[in-house]
Amino acid sequence: MSRNRRRGTAAAVVSAPAEPGRTASEIEEIEPFPRFDVVSDHSDHYFHAATQSIPAETLTKIMQEWKLLEQHLPESITVRAYEQRVNLLRAAVVGASATPYHDGLYFFDISFPPHYPTQPPRVHYRAFGYRINPNLYSGGVVCLSLLNTWHGKRKSERWNPTESTILQVLLSIQALVLNERPYYNEPGHGAFKPGTSGEKKSFAYNEEIFVLSCQSVLRLIKTPPKGFEAFVAWHFRDRARAILQACEAYANGRVRVGYFREGVPRGPSRVAVPEKFKQSIKRLYPELYQAFSQDGASLAGLSKELRLDETPRRGNPPPAPAGKGKKGLVVKVVGMVKKFLGLK
């Protein structure tokens, strides 16, 4: 992976700013990858074969997008551009906490059309054949009003050549697509209402999505996207313990899918766990454990096989945990999206 990034034609060495009480080297050990960087190998990019000449005015706009990404990407989104194909980008989005996507990595290949920004960018999701969201198809199609691949309810939600950006697209995917109740992203499912049949279907959908996300984790570890090999290994070494602990908590009905928190003690109540979901997690858990172990994750104290409670009790699901101190990632990202969209 390249350790240089470029602004226009000028290269600059990447270094993380030191936080209070920490040296720059300590920060590098904690998160050793820049959020925006330029790499050389684009051979596995979904749009790599679609070569088109890029007009000078489009190239200028693309350089502006690079600068915006360098300066404003949140810590949960990482982007790579390409030296020889400046019209291509690849983004890795970390699934936010309090969603069924937590601790996962979701990759998107992006292409700037020749007449960008008059036309919106093209975006392809690296799906591995799994449909993990109503807006993300198993073939990689991303259905989003901001990309003009969905009509949207309001004109302000669609691509605006004078205001819309790649950063806005990525923030929208993270906050509005990979959200806590993706079941309601599907047109016709209405709005969330507690205690309804829709809520039960939403719980079941989150269980299905979590299983597919775990399967995606295994595929990513085996075949990481080029330019992100070290990043994928580092991310799952860092999050392996949380993912395995969540698998155990969900399979035993200690908490609803999406509500897991590390270090939260077991409560007396239980939620009903469908046998199909339990067996899926039981099958995936040892595969995840082995994959994480081979990647060097520290898993001391965790079992190699899923531990199931013998007599789980059923009860009402606990409410989603309230944020403490700073706002949660989802709240912050939604706020950023609304700011970009000009919504109150």
Side-chain angles (χ1 to χ4, degrees):
M1 182 180 298
S2 169
R3 296 301 292 163
N4 291 334
R5 60 180 175 181
R6 304 187 178 198
R7 292 177 180 169
T9 57
V13 177
V14 175
S15 59
E19 296 178 0
R22 289 179 175 172
T23 65
S25 61
E26 288 174 330
I27 297 298
E28 185 74 7
E29 289 178 2
I30 296 172
E31 189 173 5
F33 303 97
R35 296 174 195 170
F36 182 89
D37 204 357
V38 180
V39 296
S40 57
D41 191 351
H42 61 269
S43 59
D44 70 332
H45 195 284
Y46 183 78
F47 298 106
H48 81 98
T51 57
Q52 296 175 308
S53 60
I54 305 298
E57 57 270 22
T58 300
L59 182 60
T60 298
K61 180 61 179 176
I62 291 174
M63 292 300 102
Q64 292 173 355
E65 293 275 8
W66 282 23
K67 185 175 182 179
L68 185 66
L69 291 169
E70 282 187 301
Q71 295 176 345
H72 298 290
L73 277 174
E75 62 183 14
S76 53
I77 300 177
T78 302
V79 174
R80 296 292 176 260
Y82 299 91
E83 292 176 343
Q84 304 301 321
R85 291 291 301 276
V86 296
N87 64 317
L88 302 181
L89 294 173
R90 171 169 285 161
V93 177
V94 178
S97 60
T99 76
Y101 305 100
H102 66 80
D103 299 306
L105 275 181
Y106 306 92
F107 281 88
F108 299 86
D109 283 358
I110 301 166
S111 173
F112 294 98
H115 299 292
Y116 183 85
T118 302
Q119 300 170 315
R122 293 183 292 170
V123 180
H124 176 86
Y125 168 59
R126 192 180 181 92
F128 297 111
Y130 306 131
R131 190 175 183 186
I132 66 163
N133 189 283
N135 298 82
L136 304 176
Y137 287 74
S138 60
V141 172
V142 179
C143 189
L144 189 66
S145 56
L146 187 56
L147 297 174
N148 291 351
T149 51
W150 173 250
H151 54 73
K153 296 181 179 180
R154 292 178 294 182
K155 185 177 180 180
S156 61
E157 296 176 353
R158 296 179 64 79
W159 182 262
N160 184 334
T162 62
E163 297 179 1
S164 300
T165 66
I166 292 294
L167 178 60
Q168 183 182 347
V169 169
L170 294 175
L171 292 173
S172 296
I173 288 173
Q174 185 179 55
L176 306 181
V177 175
L178 301 174
N179 61 44
E180 69 274 22
R181 298 187 185 97
Y183 171 82
Y184 293 99
N185 288 14
E186 186 71 57
H189 284 179
F192 168 69
K193 293 181 180 179
T196 63
S197 60
E199 183 185 38
K200 294 180 180 179
K201 292 178 181 178
S202 178
F203 289 150
Y205 189 77
N206 279 4
E207 292 168 350
E208 177 185 345
I209 293 311
F210 184 75
V211 168
L212 294 178
S213 291
C214 288
Q215 292 174 339
S216 296
V217 168
L218 292 170
R219 296 288 296 273
L220 277 173
I221 292 175
K222 291 179 181 178
T223 57
K226 291 184 177 180
F228 282 87
E229 295 91 343
F231 178 82
V232 168
W234 168 79
H235 174 82
F236 288 119
R237 278 197 302 270
D238 182 62
R239 303 312 301 162
R241 180 173 294 273
I243 293 171
L244 292 175
Q245 288 177 333
C247 286
E248 187 178 357
Y250 295 154
N252 283 293
R254 297 175 196 147
V255 66
R256 288 286 186 194
V257 171
Y259 293 160
F260 173 77
R261 288 290 187 279
E262 291 179 85
V264 175
R266 301 183 186 185
S269 63
R270 294 289 187 269
V271 296
V273 181
E275 189 63 26
K276 181 180 178 181
F277 173 73
K278 183 183 296 185
Q279 293 304 318
S280 294
I281 297 300
K282 185 177 181 180
R283 174 181 56 82
L284 284 167
Y285 182 98
E287 296 182 40
L288 290 166
Y289 186 99
Q290 182 178 10
F292 294 150
S293 296
Q294 291 175 346
D295 242 2
S298 176
L299 303 177
L302 294 181
S303 173
K304 295 182 180 180
E305 302 289 334
L306 180 65
R307 293 178 292 194
L308 293 175
D309 296 342
E310 294 183 1
T311 56
R313 290 187 292 174
R314 297 182 178 183
N316 294 324
K324 296 181 179 179
K326 296 182 180 179
K327 292 182 178 180
L329 174 61
V330 173
V331 175
K332 288 191 287 187
V333 175
V334 169
M336 294 174 72
V337 173
K338 289 184 177 180
K339 181 178 178 181
F340 273 103
L341 293 174
L343 302 176
K344 296 182 179 180

